[in-house]
């Protein structure tokens, strides 16, 4: 029954959420076009065409459970592949991250999953909650997927971890480029993301425990955390605002190569991270409006945040705020600041 339902309606995500036991052990089957489908566990599905072209593509969504637009985009792509609406030319792995958080419409149940990668899930208290267990499971799925690709001679890896931001942004769609340990930033990747409607990029300045850094650092994948707009409930997204990213991801999967616009530095906003401000005290507070959009800049010496004994000030011209959140746990990042740069 489930297999037929999957192939007729493609409702992999719905079944993963409503009847996870169906996928308690792995399932493998093939589609009419010869594509092999492998369901590793609830929310984790991969497609291997009979003659794959060289790319191993990972698309993750729902690492934060209430960031629905990317989940809906990936759900639709999975449906299209399962029902034969289109075919994959490359191997592709879809990961729907935090299923329990989706069910309660929250960012997470116990812990922010996007701080648990590169082994962070097993440090400190260890695998003590569902998010930590799932982060490890997602890591293992990516590792196995890329490993299997290597065995059959695949020669390119990418991973787009799709999110929406909690707050509005002056630059609605933006991407975080994980730290590259001195390797060059790739203009071709900025072109690809520009085709997805992303015009703003943040170059990271050090290792992190995000999902995209894991794939970039451990597997040499072109990986990004991609923020596609503002959080809304399931079914309440204006999907026309996501048409470009949906079409470009479909092209990535279903075409040998994606035709990209030329690199136009004037169309892109590139920032480097200047300050990472952690909340270290109980009385940590941000010194700007709660709803200040991402990429709002402040004048030199403006006090952005303060806590007992310390003030965090603007240090450079054009310095802007990203991801402010005064309510994070003590020791976690409460604010990033960025300054304009170029590649
Ligand atoms: Zn997110």
């Amino acid at each position: 029954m489930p297999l037929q339902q999957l192939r007729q309606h493609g409702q992999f995500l719905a079944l993963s959420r409503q009847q996870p036991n169906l996928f308690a052990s792995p399932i493998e089957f093939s589609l009419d076009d010869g594509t092999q489908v492998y369901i590793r566990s609830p929310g984790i599905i991969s497609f291997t065409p009979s003659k794959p072209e060289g790319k191993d593509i990972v698309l993750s969504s729902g690492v934060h459970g209430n960031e629905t637009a990317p989940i809906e985009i990936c759900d639709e792509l999975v449906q299209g592949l399962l029902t034969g609406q289109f075919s994959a030319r490359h191997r592709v792995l879809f990961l729907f991250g935090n299923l329990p958080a989706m069910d309660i419409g929250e960012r997470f149940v116990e812990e922010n999953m996007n701080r648990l990668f590169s082994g962070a899930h097993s440090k400190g208290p260890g695998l003590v909650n569902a998010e930590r267990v799932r982060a490890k499971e997602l890591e293992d799925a990516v590792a196995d997927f890329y490993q299997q690709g290597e065995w059959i001679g695949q020669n390119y890896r990418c991973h787009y971890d799709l999110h929406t931001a909690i707050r509005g942004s002056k630059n609605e769609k933006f991407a975080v480029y994980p730290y590259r340990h001195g390797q060059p930033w790739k203009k071709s990747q900025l072109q690809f993301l520009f085709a997805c409607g992303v015009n703003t990029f943040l170059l990271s300045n050090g290792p992190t425990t995000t999902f995209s850094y894991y794939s970039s650092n451990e597997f040499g994948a072109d990986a990004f955390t991609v923020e596609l707009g503002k959080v809304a409930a399931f079914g309440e997204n204006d999907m026309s605002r996501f048409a470009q990213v949906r079409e470009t991801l479909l092209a990535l999967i279903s075409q040998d190569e994606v035709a990209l616009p030329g690199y136009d530095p004037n169309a892109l906003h590139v920032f480097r991270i200047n300050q990472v401000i952690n909340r270290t005290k109980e009385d940590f507070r941000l010194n700007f409006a709660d709803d200040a959009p991402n990429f709002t800049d402040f004048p030199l010496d403006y006090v952005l945040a303060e806590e007992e004994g310390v003030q965090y000030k603007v240090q450079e011209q054009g310095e802007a705020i990203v991801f402010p959140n005064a309510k994070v746990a003590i020791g976690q990042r409460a604010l990033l600041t960025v300054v304009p740069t170029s590649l």
Side-chain angles (χ1 to χ4, degrees):
M1 187 282 286
L3 260 193
Q4 198 174 344
Q5 203 176 334
L6 264 182
R7 297 179 56 163
Q8 265 177 11
H9 306 291
Q11 289 164 327
F12 171 66
L13 178 60
L15 289 171
S16 290
R17 293 178 62 189
Q18 288 152 17
Q19 302 177 61
N21 287 339
L22 289 175
F23 309 125
S25 34
I27 297 175
E28 221 167 339
F29 57 96
S30 46
L31 302 175
D32 292 342
D33 65 2
T35 298
Q36 279 294 118
V37 180
Y38 177 63
I39 298 175
R40 182 187 175 106
S41 59
I44 304 183
I45 185 169
S46 65
F47 298 84
T48 299
S50 53
K51 292 194 187 97
E53 302 291 331
K55 295 178 187 172
D56 281 349
I57 300 161
V58 176
L59 297 177
S60 51
S61 62
V63 164
H64 294 138
N66 61 347
E67 298 177 359
T68 54
I71 299 168
E72 290 175 336
I73 291 167
C74 290
D75 184 25
E76 204 184 295
L77 290 171
V78 168
Q79 278 184 33
L81 289 166
L82 284 170
T83 57
Q85 201 184 322
F86 42 78
S87 292
R89 301 283 293 174
H90 303 277
R91 293 177 73 236
V92 55
L93 168 66
F94 289 91
L95 304 158
F96 296 94
N98 197 337
L99 302 173
M102 284 177 214
D103 292 341
I104 59 170
E106 297 284 348
R107 186 170 168 81
F108 52 81
V109 180
E110 285 188 57
E111 198 171 352
N112 179 358
M113 198 189 282
N114 211 18
R115 297 289 178 275
L116 291 175
F117 292 94
S118 295
H121 47 70
S122 298
K123 293 188 181 137
L127 297 169
V128 292
N129 59 42
E131 265 112 12
R132 286 176 169 250
V133 171
R134 183 64 165 175
K136 183 178 188 316
E137 194 178 14
L138 297 177
E139 275 188 4
D140 291 345
V142 169
D144 290 349
F145 177 75
Y146 284 143
Q147 178 72 74
Q148 285 153 10
E150 195 176 316
W151 288 335
I152 60 167
Q154 295 286 92
N155 55 24
Y156 176 78
R157 294 168 175 171
C158 59
H159 176 185
Y160 301 104
D161 183 35
L162 308 172
H163 291 251
T164 52
I166 303 173
R167 61 182 53 228
S169 175
K170 283 175 78 179
N171 307 67
E172 191 193 58
K173 295 184 173 63
F174 63 96
V176 181
Y177 204 150
Y179 185 54
R180 303 259 301 149
H181 295 270
Q183 293 176 76
W185 311 102
K186 291 188 183 174
K187 284 183 179 166
S188 57
Q189 281 299 303
L190 272 53
Q191 284 170 270
F192 173 79
L193 287 162
F194 187 60
C196 291
V198 176
N199 69 351
T200 300
F201 299 88
L202 248 72
L203 310 179
S204 299
N205 60 353
T208 51
T209 47
T210 61
F211 202 7
S212 62
Y213 175 77
Y214 167 75
S215 297
S216 171
N217 183 51
E218 304 209 10
F219 304 101
D222 285 332
F224 289 83
T225 307
V226 187
E227 301 282 349
L228 293 172
K230 202 175 171 188
V231 163
F234 277 115
E236 287 175 18
N237 292 297
D238 172 4
M239 293 313 275
S240 70
R241 301 173 80 150
F242 303 98
Q244 256 183 301
V245 61
R246 200 167 39 176
E247 276 162 35
T248 307
L249 292 177
L250 174 58
L252 177 69
I253 295 166
S254 63
Q255 296 174 12
D256 289 2
E257 285 301 332
V258 184
L260 293 177
Y263 185 79
D264 176 6
N266 296 321
L268 305 178
H269 306 277
V270 183
F271 294 90
R272 62 175 173 80
I273 289 165
N274 194 50
Q275 302 185 59
V276 179
I277 297 170
N278 293 325
R279 176 186 183 199
T280 68
K281 302 262 167 56
E282 201 58 54
D283 68 339
F284 183 93
R285 58 205 180 272
L286 295 168
N287 196 13
F288 46 83
D290 270 348
D291 58 353
N294 279 322
F295 297 101
T296 303
D297 60 327
F298 292 89
L300 271 177
D301 291 325
Y302 183 88
V303 177
L304 293 167
E306 47 194 324
E307 55 186 350
E308 195 193 332
V310 55
Q311 289 188 323
Y312 302 96
K313 292 182 181 177
V314 171
Q315 299 170 338
E316 295 193 35
Q317 206 74 48
E319 192 163 347
I321 55 159
V322 188
F323 300 130
N325 186 354
K327 294 189 195 109
V328 294
I330 287 184
Q332 293 215 336
R333 186 189 80 196
L335 177 66
L336 276 182
T337 73
V338 298
V339 290
T341 185
S342 57
L343 283 197

